[in-house]
Amino acid sequence: MTRVITYGTYDLLHQGHINLLKRAKALGDYLIVGVTNDNFDRDRGKLNVRNNVLERVDAVKATGFADKVIIEDYVGQKIDDIQKYNVDIFAIGSDWEGKFDYLNEFCKVVYLPRTEGISSTMLRDNSQETVKVGILGCGRVARRFPSEASVVSGVDVCAAYDIDAKAASSIIDENGNSIKMFDSLSDFYDAVDAVYVATPHLAHYRCIKESLLAKKHVLCETPMVLDGSEAKELYKLAETQGDVLMEANKTAHCPAFNHLMVMIKSGVIGKVVDVEASLSQLLDKSGREFDSEQAGGAMFEQGSYPLLPILKLLGVNYEKIEFFPRIENGVDVYTKGLIKYPDAVSSFKVGLDVKTEGDLVISGTKGYAYVPSPWWKTDYFELRYEDQNENKKFFYKWDGYGLRYEIQEFMSCIVNKRFSSARLRRRESICMAEIMQQFRECKNYFKI
Ligand code: CTP
């Protein structure tokens, strides 16, 4: 009996896949089809797969060509599978010509003709209207946005507006003429479906509100606003209008961080009793970050990152919060915070002029999670236990500046008319704004 194996994502199963499976089956008597796992696809940069792995497996089974369907989880699995299933022929489409020659050592490798004129990418692009995005506020962070958006399908970053025309034109210089600079806000709104707000913190509220009132979806840099009632009002307005409003906290969308949150919620370290998160970045003191007039300081600049794992794991119903800031020229250059819950505690440290270890430690009743610096954009974490033999290390993908993951989620919310993302829930974003407000009002505030 000749055993054949082939692999693919098989998203939105199409005629090209069916032809390939038919040809692969015709090479032998028994066909094994490896369908990529969702995580594995994300890890190798396929961010837009529409069908989940179970749907894709069902679609492959429904073709009737597969005798066995397996899941492809990791790099190097093909060699393991070929040996495990005693495979004679590895078959794959000709778009991979030459790429799998290394498998010749284990079995025969056959590249089958690819069906012209169709692919999952094409179907995904055609089935979704392109969302036209405009950048509002063209500073340092915004400059990274166009290249990150270019790897997410269905997004067209086509417009930029900044009160400083020079800032807007610098984005265009770096990204070519596909982005048009506007000098009138109303013309800018006419040109787009969604707005990415990357203005200074204190302008966020006004920019979000204006964009929502212009009936645009909004992705706003973190911290979204520094006032709980403003956050509530904006989310309410977005919901009433049927628009998506999302806070762009890139850590919330980081694949490793996301998986860590899900695993901890499923109890892998028992009950969470303590979350400690730190982050510091020493910056040039002439920058906006040190300007009290522009809501500078470590808490507003960096606080929403450590607050994220704390609020996600321990919730928004804390009993007490205390801040211990070190103030220079009206801004906190370092702040330590303590948050007490009925049966847990958390602490965070943020610094613009004080350097600390930037790690994340989540302590539970059965073990702890350790995420080394820079945990806020990590591709790696460890679960550690009393019995070291049980320790596990987890590795993930983190590409580019990481904004692509939040852009993809923003698009997915728009396309699927989802108004809240589990990665950063509205109540968590509102709670962050309330905490920022308390800090601004110097409540529970003990200068050091
Ligand atoms: N395939 C094919 N003809 C096509 C599309 C895919 O023969 N028109 C083959 C691929 O060469 C591969 C298998 O089908 O052997 C599964 O490919 P997959 O990557 O899932 O499909 P694509 O449509 O190429 O997906 P994408 O656009 O996401 O890359």
Side-chain angles (χ1 to χ4, degrees), residues 9-10 14 17 20 46 93 95 114-115 118-121 124:
T9 304
Y10 304 102
H14 54 67
H17 295 140
L20 188 284
K46 272 201 175 190
D95 44 325
R114 185 179 159 90
T115 308
I118 187 154
S119 73
S120 305
T121 306
R124 284 192 293 261

Side-chain angles (χ1 to χ4, degrees), residues 248-316:
N249 184 317
K250 68 174 186 291
T251 304
H253 303 272
C254 159
F257 180 82
N258 242 305
H259 199 212
L260 175 65
M261 292 298 109
V262 174
M263 285 177 84
I264 290 184
K265 279 175 194 259
S266 73
V268 289
I269 57 166
K271 193 179 153 8
V272 177
V273 175
D274 192 355
V275 180
E276 296 169 271
S278 301
L279 163 60
S280 65
Q281 188 187 16
L282 301 190
L283 293 174
D284 176 24
K285 288 199 172 167
S286 61
R288 169 187 63 76
E289 294 81 2
F290 287 88
D291 183 354
S292 60
E293 300 290 306
Q294 297 194 61
M299 188 61 194
F300 298 150
E301 209 46 48
Q302 304 162 335
S304 55
Y305 293 101
L307 286 176
L308 179 75
I310 295 173
L311 300 182
K312 288 208 85 64
L313 294 172
L314 300 177
V316 297

Side-chain angles (χ1 to χ4, degrees), residues 128-133 154-157 193-194 217 411 414-415:
Q128 174 184 328
E129 268 191 44
T130 300
V131 177
K132 286 185 268 164
V133 181
V155 193
D156 176 18
V157 180
D193 309 305
H217 303 287
M411 289 305 134
I414 293 174
V415 170

Side-chain angles (χ1 to χ4, degrees), residues 106-148:
F106 304 93
C107 68
K108 187 174 169 193
V109 175
V110 176
Y111 297 100
L112 292 166
R114 185 179 159 90
T115 308
E116 291 306 317
I118 187 154
S119 73
S120 305
T121 306
M122 212 159 114
L123 294 176
R124 284 192 293 261
D125 286 349
N126 292 347
S127 68
Q128 174 184 328
E129 268 191 44
T130 300
V131 177
K132 286 185 268 164
V133 181
I135 301 175
L136 192 53
C138 303
R140 201 178 57 218
V141 189
R143 248 177 251 149
R144 299 170 173 177
F145 192 84
S147 65
E148 290 285 306

Side-chain angles (χ1 to χ4, degrees), residues 14-298:
H14 54 67
Q15 194 57 43
H17 295 140
I18 295 171
N19 295 346
L20 188 284
L21 292 174
K22 190 173 175 186
R23 287 170 191 150
K25 172 81 179 195
L27 291 173
D29 313 294
Y30 188 84
L31 177 64
I32 304 168
V33 181
V35 177
T36 49
N37 203 350
D38 296 332
N39 276 338
F40 184 59
D41 270 324
R42 235 172 277 135
D43 286 356
R44 57 193 192 119
K46 272 201 175 190
L47 293 177
N48 295 306
V49 175
R50 287 287 173 80
N51 297 136
N52 66 38
V53 63
L54 294 179
E55 291 165 337
R56 292 182 284 114
V57 165
D58 282 348
V60 167
K61 282 185 180 160
T63 65
F65 295 118
D67 296 288
K68 184 176 186 66
V69 178
I70 59 171
I71 306 290
E72 186 181 22
D73 265 318
Y74 59 90
V75 179
Q77 186 181 323
K78 292 185 178 78
I79 295 175
D80 288 346
D81 289 341
I82 289 167
Q83 296 179 92
K84 181 168 159 191
Y85 298 110
N86 219 356
V87 167
D88 304 292
I89 299 173
F90 169 87
I92 195 91
S94 52
D95 44 325
W96 294 98
E97 190 78 51
K99 299 259 168 46
F100 290 101
D101 289 355
Y102 69 91
L103 294 175
N104 271 313
E105 189 186 332
F106 304 93
C107 68
K108 187 174 169 193
V109 175
V110 176
Y111 297 100
L112 292 166
R114 185 179 159 90
T115 308
E116 291 306 317
I118 187 154
S119 73
S120 305
T121 306
M122 212 159 114
L123 294 176
R124 284 192 293 261
D125 286 349
N126 292 347
S127 68
Q128 174 184 328
E129 268 191 44
T130 300
V131 177
K132 286 185 268 164
V133 181
I135 301 175
L136 192 53
C138 303
R140 201 178 57 218
V141 189
R143 248 177 251 149
R144 299 170 173 177
F145 192 84
S147 65
E148 290 285 306
S150 70
V151 297
V152 181
S153 69
V155 193
D156 176 18
V157 180
C158 63
Y161 177 89
D162 196 298
I163 39 171
D164 173 6
K166 238 169 65 198
S169 62
S170 72
I171 284 217
I172 292 158
D173 290 347
E174 285 167 30
N175 295 282
N177 292 329
S178 54
I179 304 179
K180 187 167 182 263
M181 186 178 110
F182 286 84
D183 46 23
S184 136
L185 248 187
S186 67
D187 292 347
F188 167 82
Y189 284 131
D190 285 346
V192 302
D193 309 305
V195 176
Y196 170 59
V197 176
T199 54
H201 304 327
L202 292 178
H204 284 179
Y205 171 75
R206 181 179 46 80
C207 292
I208 297 171
K209 193 163 177 176
E210 282 174 7
S211 302
L212 288 174
L213 290 174
K215 296 230 163 283
K216 307 299 160 190
H217 303 287
V218 179
L219 177 66
C220 178
E221 260 314 317
T222 193
M224 192 175 85
V225 283
L226 307 175
D227 180 304
S229 52
E230 285 182 0
K232 281 186 195 151
E233 178 201 328
L234 293 171
Y235 279 117
K236 184 112 200 109
L237 176 62
E239 190 171 356
T240 318
Q241 301 210 144
D243 290 316
V244 173
L245 168 59
M246 190 184 273
E247 177 165 354
N249 184 317
K250 68 174 186 291
T251 304
H253 303 272
C254 159
F257 180 82
N258 242 305
H259 199 212
L260 175 65
M261 292 298 109
V262 174
M263 285 177 84
I264 290 184
K265 279 175 194 259
S266 73
V268 289
I269 57 166
K271 193 179 153 8
V272 177
V273 175
D274 192 355
V275 180
E276 296 169 271
S278 301
L279 163 60
S280 65
Q281 188 187 16
L282 301 190
L283 293 174
D284 176 24
K285 288 199 172 167
S286 61
R288 169 187 63 76
E289 294 81 2
F290 287 88
D291 183 354
S292 60
E293 300 290 306
Q294 297 194 61

